[in-house]
Amino acid sequence: MKFSKIPAATITRLSMYSRNLEELLAEDVKVISSEKLAERCGVNSAQIRKDVAYFGEFGVRGVGYYVRDLLFEIKKILGLNKEWNLALVGIGNLGSALIAHENFARQGYRFVAAFDNDPHKIGKKLLSGLLVDRIDDLKKVKARCNIEIGVISTPASKAQEVANRLIEADVRAMLNFAPIQIQVPKGFSVENVDFTVKLDNLAYHLTTEG
Amino acid sequence: MKFSKIPAATITRLSMYSRNLEELLAEDVKVISSEKLAERCGVNSAQIRKDVAYFGEFGVRGVGYYVRDLLFEIKKILGLNKEWNLALVGIGNLGSALIAHENFARQGYRFVAAFDNDPHKIGKKLLSGLLVDRIDDLKKVKARCNIEIGVISTPASKAQEVANRLIEADVRAMLNFAPIQIQVPKGFSVENVDFTVKLDNLAYHLTTEG
DNA sequence: TGGTGTGAACAACTTCACAGCG
DNA sequence: CGCTGTGAAGTTGTTCACACCA
């Protein structure tokens, strides 16, 4: 185990390993070698060994990794041994779909608040049972619900403004669905989910190789 | 201009430059230096010069880049000088939200077909006016609508199966919203939009640095 | 003069290859 | 013996620094 810097890509792969290990667990596989797991994940086996070795010695030489143990360790590394409280900002089509989406809940992400600035939406109850709050009440609601991650699903033109509110309320992490680079101070994290960029990549490949 | 291999990250950045240039155009800015554009995009200026230099000499020494011209060239590179036809597969909450989402249309991506395998949904008309087709009719519908990119918004358990149908129908590009690695043969492209991975990254940072 | 285009230096990440251990 | 853990080698991507040109 070393304390050198962890590549960002390593964290992303850990997330992928975690999902695959969950599948293996469901298939009742007890032990897996880095070689086999690598094949499943489409990466190099040394990559897997190196990725997990950043954090400890979780394997058994001559044997492989115990699926249950490795899964547990990876989840601990990622911080998935607890539930995380999300707040949705921007209750449009996409936002509503996200609240209803199963993938959040399954991994322990839970929407505890929802915000909008449209007076027609404020006070309404969503299908999930959540009440839509005014964005001005963010701090107050945060104190009550312990919001840990903000999910921004407003139009691009409003996204930075929303981010500023989240920063003000000291929400340290944001998942941004708007196609724009959000500026945050040190100590805050933003992850972008930008499907236009992905589509542009596909268009490029179709144009170039097709 | 050189024909060495283009880093994947370059394409992703071109997409970002394109958006920023569109904003600059709207602000009526005529010329911009790599330095200024870099600041806006949060990257190094040499990076920008190198990225665009892979494809040609679009700048003017001592001046910078003409916004309109560079935007045009980048869009041509990415293949955004045409409209792209999308087919949505999986009409759940997320799928419906995607069809209604403005960001696709604005960049020239247009949904021309929608598929599901739920008998209750087939034949129904979506808000956009699209009729939901049977996935078995994919080839037939493709012949009519010229589907170029498939958008997969089914549960993870069905995603590979859907991908196989798309491959069979020779839809060469897929945007996958299911949290799973999709396997495709050479010549096909997949881009993943996976928010659980992004959330795991945020959770990791909150756990580690927070 | 000022900013591009680019070889060369650098940094980061990935893969190899094998020592070491269960 | 077999598979992990890891230094070393290799590869890829980024930044520097400056020649060159409008």
Side-chain angles (χ1 to χ4, degrees):
Chain A
M1 178 165 183
K2 351 190 273 189
F3 281 104
S4 49
K5 272 228 214 45
I6 316 293
T10 289
I11 305 305
T12 298
R13 282 190 300 266
L14 286 179
S15 182
M16 172 172 64
Y17 304 155
S18 158
R19 272 212 301 262
N20 275 276
L21 289 166
E22 264 166 359
E23 283 175 33
L24 287 165
L25 200 65
E27 294 163 20
D28 216 38
V29 176
K30 303 290 188 207
V31 180
I32 192 155
S33 67
S34 60
E35 195 69 51
K36 287 269 178 55
L37 183 57
E39 196 182 325
R40 238 184 129 102
C41 297
V43 301
N44 182 290
S45 66
Q47 183 81 82
I48 292 189
R49 295 198 298 279
K50 189 144 279 199
D51 282 340
V52 309
Y54 280 122
F55 301 95
E57 306 208 354
F58 304 131
V60 183
R61 290 167 197 238
V63 177
Y65 298 90
Y66 288 102
V67 171
R68 180 179 296 275
D69 294 355
L70 184 58
L71 177 58
F72 176 82
E73 293 295 344
I74 289 179
K75 285 199 154 189
K76 197 166 76 182
I77 293 162
L78 292 175
L80 302 183
N81 48 359
K82 77 183 274 304
E83 291 216 314
W84 290 95
N85 293 336
L86 312 184
L88 184 73
V89 189
I91 319 294
N93 283 310
L94 181 61
S96 309
L98 292 175
I99 283 216
H101 204 281
E102 42 169 8
N103 289 359
F104 288 98
R106 196 173 45 233
Q107 287 292 337
Y109 297 102
R110 189 175 56 179
F111 283 102
V112 296
F115 298 91
D116 207 297
N117 64 358
D118 178 348
H120 295 97
K121 290 179 182 162
I122 291 164
K124 278 217 174 144
K125 199 176 237 177
L126 300 173
L127 288 170
S128 64
L130 274 186
L131 229 65
V132 179
D133 285 303
R134 296 160 28 128
I135 182 74
D136 302 276
D137 292 337
L138 176 56
K139 279 185 185 172
K140 206 187 304 173
V141 177
K142 194 205 166 198
R144 192 172 66 233
C145 303
N146 185 30
I147 295 165
E148 294 165 305
I149 301 175
V151 178
I152 302 174
S153 65
T154 63
S157 56
K158 294 284 164 50
Q160 181 65 55
E161 193 183 316
V162 163
N164 293 344
R165 295 299 197 96
L166 289 165
I167 292 163
E168 226 178 277
D170 200 39
V171 176
R172 304 290 273 268
M174 303 170 208
L175 186 66
N176 170 42
F177 284 82
I180 197 176
Q181 272 69 52
I182 288 199
Q183 307 299 326
V184 296
K186 221 158 158 287
F188 290 75
S189 317
V190 180
E191 290 284 336
N192 295 297
V193 180
D194 190 336
F195 26 88
T196 36
V197 168
K198 300 300 178 106
L199 279 171
D200 290 354
N201 266 272
L202 291 172
Y204 171 76
H205 284 117
L206 286 172
T207 304
T208 305
E209 294 163 17
Chain B
M1 177 164 184
K2 352 189 273 190
F3 281 104
S4 48
K5 272 230 214 44
I6 315 293
T10 289
I11 304 305
T12 298
R13 282 191 299 266
L14 285 179
S15 183
M16 173 173 62
Y17 304 155
S18 158
R19 272 212 300 263
N20 275 277
L21 289 166
E22 264 166 358
E23 283 175 32
L24 288 166
L25 200 64
E27 295 163 20
D28 216 37
V29 177
K30 303 291 188 207
V31 180
I32 192 157
S33 67
S34 60
E35 195 69 49
K36 287 270 179 56
L37 184 57
E39 197 183 323
R40 239 184 128 102
C41 297
V43 302
N44 181 290
S45 66
Q47 184 81 82
I48 292 189
R49 295 199 297 278
K50 189 144 277 196
D51 281 341
V52 309
Y54 280 123
F55 300 96
E57 306 207 353
F58 305 130
V60 183
R61 291 169 196 234
V63 176
Y65 298 90
Y66 289 102
V67 172
R68 181 180 295 276
D69 294 357
L70 185 57
L71 178 58
F72 177 82
E73 293 295 343
I74 290 180
K75 285 199 152 187
K76 197 166 78 182
I77 292 162
L78 292 175
L80 302 183
N81 47 358
K82 78 183 274 302
E83 290 216 314
W84 289 96
N85 294 335
L86 312 184
L88 184 73
V89 189
I91 319 294
N93 283 310
L94 181 60
S96 308
L98 292 176
I99 283 217
H101 205 280
E102 40 169 8
N103 288 358
F104 288 98
R106 196 173 44 234
Q107 287 291 337
Y109 297 101
R110 191 175 55 180
F111 283 101
V112 296
F115 297 91
D116 207 296
N117 65 358
D118 178 348
H120 294 97
K121 290 180 183 162
I122 291 164
K124 278 218 174 144
K125 199 177 237 177
L126 300 174
L127 288 170
S128 65
L130 273 185
L131 230 67
V132 179
D133 286 303
R134 296 160 28 129
I135 184 74
D136 303 276
D137 292 336
L138 176 56
K139 279 185 185 169
K140 206 187 304 175
V141 176
K142 193 205 167 198
R144 193 173 66 233
C145 304
N146 185 28
I147 295 165
E148 293 166 305
I149 302 175
V151 178
I152 302 173
S153 64
T154 63
S157 56
K158 294 283 164 50
Q160 181 65 55
E161 192 184 316
V162 163
N164 293 344
R165 294 300 196 94
L166 289 166
I167 292 163
E168 225 178 278
D170 200 39
V171 176
R172 303 290 273 268
M174 303 171 209
L175 186 66
N176 170 42
F177 284 82
I180 197 177
Q181 273 68 52
I182 290 201
Q183 307 298 327
V184 296
K186 222 158 158 287
F188 290 75
S189 317
V190 180
E191 290 285 335
N192 296 296
V193 179
D194 190 337
F195 26 88
T196 35
V197 168
K198 300 300 179 106
L199 279 171
D200 290 355
N201 266 271
L202 290 173
Y204 171 77
H205 284 118
L206 286 172
T207 304
T208 306
E209 294 162 18

